[in-house]
Amino acid sequence: MGTDDKVVIPENLRLPFNRASLSEIRVALNRLQARLGFSDGCGLALRLVLEELVTNSIMHGWGKGAHDDPETGIHVDFHIDDGVLHFRYVDHGSPFDPRSDLPSDSRDEHLDDRPDGQLGWPLILHYCDLLHYAREEGQNRMHLRLREKVLNRD
């Protein structure tokens, strides 16, 4: 696979704003991992990141309570570029720009001194690079990539 090769993956997700979406993520990622054969470490990192993103969207981005319409919920599309998994994460929730709206990174603080509930984004950014964020058409649109290669094809 050359550096210009891009593989689009059909395991794209359309999720409603509710907690049942978390189990849908697990099922889709298990299928994706089985089909592509990437490591358990990559699978765990991706699951942690997506569960955190979806949980944040549900808890903080949708002030009207849960709803079951995946078309106005959360969308995740995957592709592989040069062995690295990229994904586009879109939600229809309140504006949230992770480049400027994040609380301070508390990973270096002693465990007892860390604020409750503010480690999700530091964990996401430990496993992923945020390549792009835009607020367009009432949506938060992010492009992220896992830091670890999922496929080693030379």
Side-chain angles (χ1 to χ4, degrees):
M1 185 176 275
T3 56
D4 293 333
D5 292 337
K6 181 176 173 179
V7 177
V8 176
I9 301 167
E11 302 293 339
N12 298 326
L13 302 171
R14 300 296 178 264
L15 306 167
F17 270 105
N18 64 42
R19 308 271 296 151
S21 295
L22 296 173
S23 61
E24 289 184 48
I25 288 171
R26 181 179 37 81
V27 170
L29 293 182
N30 286 343
R31 277 193 316 258
L32 181 65
Q33 185 174 359
R35 194 157 60 71
L36 297 176
F38 55 81
S39 73
D40 287 343
C42 285
L44 180 62
L46 185 58
R47 182 174 173 185
L48 186 145
V49 165
L50 285 175
E51 284 184 359
E52 186 62 34
L53 287 169
V54 169
T55 299
N56 283 345
S57 292
I58 292 167
M59 290 181 62
H60 306 295
W62 190 255
K64 302 170 194 159
H67 75 73
D68 295 325
D69 183 3
E71 290 309 308
T72 57
I74 299 163
H75 301 170
V76 186
D77 301 314
F78 302 97
H79 73 271
I80 294 176
D81 195 354
D82 197 25
V84 177
L85 185 70
H86 292 245
F87 56 100
R88 183 178 58 125
Y89 183 90
V90 176
D91 75 29
H92 294 74
S94 303
F96 177 77
D97 184 344
R99 299 168 305 177
S100 59
D101 296 340
L102 289 177
S104 64
D105 185 348
S106 58
R107 284 182 291 179
D108 295 330
E109 294 179 18
H110 184 274
L111 185 60
D112 292 334
D113 296 332
R114 295 177 188 179
D116 293 334
Q118 293 187 3
L119 292 179
W121 269 98
L123 281 172
I124 291 167
L125 296 174
H126 174 78
Y127 291 112
C128 291
D129 294 312
L130 175 64
L131 301 178
H132 179 73
Y133 169 85
R135 178 75 182 178
E136 297 172 350
E137 300 174 9
Q139 302 170 340
N140 295 300
R141 298 179 183 194
M142 290 179 259
H143 175 189
L144 299 105
R145 74 172 167 219
L146 279 184
R147 292 180 186 263
E148 184 177 339
K149 279 192 170 193
V150 295
L151 300 177
N152 290 313
R153 296 182 182 163
D154 296 315

